[in-house]
Amino acid sequence: LLEMWFAADAGMAHHVGSDAHISSDEWAEHRTGLRLVPRTVWSDMLDMVHCQVLSTLSNAHIDSYLLSESSFFVYPHKLVLKTCGTTTLLYAIPRILSIAREHLGAMCAHQVFYSRKNFMYPDQQEELHQSWAKEVAYLDALFPDGAAYLIGKTNRDHWHVYLSGPESETVSNSLAGSPVLCPQMSRSSSQSTVHGVMQPSTSSDITVEILMTGLDAERMRLMYLGGASTEEGAAGGAAVERLSGISDIYPNAATDSYLFTPCGFSLNGLQGDGYFTIHVTPEPHCSYASFETNVSGSGVRDLHDPQATKHLVEQVTRVFGPKFVTVTVFKARAAEAPQSVADNAWENGVKDGLAKTADAAPLSFAPVNGYKAMDRVLYEFDHYWLRYAYYIRAD
């Protein structure tokens, strides 16, 4: 997963190029910043990581691209690119930086996140992605003040994460060719002191990722052509959503899904200014499913509430029946939990006012029905909290 921000807020990202993409759909008047980059430019960038665009879905806030084994989300000020299989994700970064420079006048990234689970078959990846050390060396050359972490047990499933930024100041837009000086990014660290103040716009930033292996073979029959549907593509994808229970996770979301031949399933979903995405490889010897979302509040479950996260994990695992589950929650520091959540935490004995401060750590994960927690980690970075958990199905 690669997430790159070029401004702290959508309102700070303004397109400066001469070739803005002017669409004729119902969302045209809402597009600003990176959303005005021509789609041919994005397609060429995605070709570099061996991803082809299958379909697109948009709303007032986001453009999403459903890709072969991958997903791409474009906000005015940031991009999210999630890939699976043997794609070459990191090779896209120099081109993305070039696109942002040309179309936003941004001479550097505001902040960068790269993360992945340990590979099941690292030797089958492209050379750059065969080891975390190679990936870190490549990223360090691009972001000298970045920092790399390994979360979880080194002899079991674990999670790699690389962070750079955010900048101490907001980068201004400029016309192409004009100099834009980027302040030095502060190294992301797990020290206890916050260096600088979070931009207000990032304070509600929270993302939950659920990575699953050892999927239930019976439930995975739906992910094969001829299981939920005999039609490849969008029609088959819609059938999988309906029969698997995926459509119940966010019933009011707009979705775009695809059933592959002979098997495999991908989905992008949009609700308000949030997205969720699912990718499934159902073959028994390498079964894997990923679920990621930043949809929170506004009439849906609030991801700041550990009970809401628990219910989300339980709902997702019921769909796939995995044996092993990794859950991560990334929450911006200075993100203030809703008063109802803070009050509930307070009443349940959270001391020293932590639940009522603007810099409260995410509360511990509630027990997940049917699973035993094997690993639980809380990281305190300069600008984000990270809560990590690893579960094994209690057979």
Side-chain angles (χ1 to χ4, degrees):
L1 173 71
L2 175 67
E3 184 169 329
M4 299 183 68
W5 295 49
F6 293 96
D9 186 277
M12 299 177 183
H14 304 287
H15 191 274
V16 299
S18 59
D19 59 342
H21 169 66
I22 307 300
S23 63
S24 57
D25 65 17
E26 61 184 306
W27 311 114
E29 64 180 288
H30 298 282
R31 287 193 174 90
T32 60
L34 292 169
R35 297 186 69 190
L36 289 174
V37 173
R39 291 186 176 179
T40 54
V41 174
W42 293 133
S43 294
D44 290 343
M45 180 275 292
L46 293 167
D47 283 342
M48 298 177 65
V49 295
H50 308 309
C51 292
Q52 286 73 49
V53 178
L54 300 176
S55 55
T56 61
L57 179 69
S58 298
N59 66 12
H61 307 277
I62 317 168
D63 294 315
S64 77
Y65 295 72
L66 190 64
L67 313 174
S68 50
E69 298 188 290
S70 309
S71 292
F72 182 47
F73 299 93
V74 182
Y75 287 80
H77 62 303
K78 68 178 181 179
L79 307 171
V80 180
L81 178 55
K82 186 178 183 69
T83 64
C84 303
T86 55
T87 52
T88 51
L89 177 56
L90 295 183
Y91 287 133
I93 294 178
R95 180 58 182 139
I96 291 173
L97 291 170
S98 174
I99 291 170
R101 183 166 54 249
E102 179 181 353
H103 293 272
L104 290 186
M107 302 306 288
C108 65
H110 174 68
Q111 60 184 359
V112 177
F113 304 85
Y114 172 64
S115 65
R116 66 167 176 85
K117 182 181 172 295
N118 57 297
F119 289 126
M120 289 188 284
Y121 303 104
D123 57 311
Q124 296 182 14
Q125 299 294 321
E126 295 284 342
E127 182 177 0
L128 174 60
H129 293 282
Q130 288 183 355
S131 77
W132 180 237
K134 290 180 179 179
E135 292 175 313
V136 171
Y138 182 86
L139 289 164
D140 279 346
L142 294 168
F143 310 107
D145 294 292
Y149 301 89
L150 189 154
I151 316 294
K153 298 175 180 176
T154 59
N155 60 340
R156 296 289 187 272
D157 280 355
H158 51 268
W159 200 58
H160 301 282
V161 61
Y162 187 96
L163 308 176
S164 182
E167 297 168 4
S168 57
E169 299 176 14
T170 302
V171 178
S172 301
N173 291 121
S174 73
L175 296 176
S178 300
V180 177
L181 300 179
C182 300
Q184 182 178 5
M185 295 182 182
S186 61
R187 174 174 288 271
S188 301
S189 74
S190 54
Q191 297 175 355
S192 59
T193 303
V194 182
H195 304 294
V197 179
M198 283 292 299
Q199 293 288 344
S201 57
T202 62
S203 64
S204 61
D205 184 28
I206 186 166
T207 302
V208 174
E209 189 170 14
I210 306 171
L211 308 176
M212 298 161 280
T213 56
L215 309 180
D216 180 76
E218 187 61 32
R219 296 177 221 195
M220 288 305 96
R221 290 181 185 274
L222 296 175
M223 308 294 169
Y224 285 78
L225 194 66
S229 174
T230 57
E231 294 186 69
E232 184 183 11
V240 171
E241 290 183 57
R242 185 176 64 256
L243 296 176
S244 66
I246 288 173
S247 60
D248 297 328
I249 298 175
Y250 291 110
N252 297 319
T255 60
D256 179 18
S257 59
Y258 200 99
L259 177 63
F260 295 92
T261 298
C263 64
F265 172 81
S266 292
L267 175 146
N268 286 347
L270 302 180
Q271 183 158 338
D273 62 355
Y275 70 86
F276 70 102
T277 183
I278 299 172
H279 295 280
V280 185
T281 299
E283 295 97 324
H285 69 284
C286 61
S287 64
Y288 175 79
S290 67
F291 175 95
E292 180 186 341
T293 185
N294 68 349
V295 178
S296 182
S298 301
V300 297
R301 61 175 63 85
D302 193 311
L303 298 179
H304 295 89
D305 184 347
Q307 286 297 322
T309 303
K310 162 193 165 70
H311 293 149
L312 175 63
V313 173
E314 290 175 349
Q315 193 168 18
V316 171
T317 54
R318 278 197 299 272
V319 171
F320 300 105
K323 184 173 183 180
F324 306 104
V325 182
T326 298
V327 180
T328 62
V329 177
F330 243 115
K331 173 197 169 190
R333 296 192 65 164
E336 187 166 3
Q339 192 63 40
S340 60
V341 176
D343 288 344
N344 181 63
W346 185 267
E347 291 170 3
N348 282 282
V350 177
K351 298 185 186 288
D352 299 326
L354 286 176
K356 293 198 173 188
T357 67
D359 192 31
L363 299 177
S364 182
F365 290 124
V368 175
N369 290 335
Y371 287 85
K372 180 180 180 182
M374 305 300 293
D375 209 359
R376 293 178 296 276
V377 180
L378 174 64
Y379 259 72
E380 180 184 2
F381 299 107
D382 279 351
H383 301 283
Y384 279 84
W385 295 100
L386 167 63
R387 190 169 281 284
Y388 166 95
Y390 175 63
Y391 300 91
I392 294 180
R393 190 175 62 218
D395 291 331

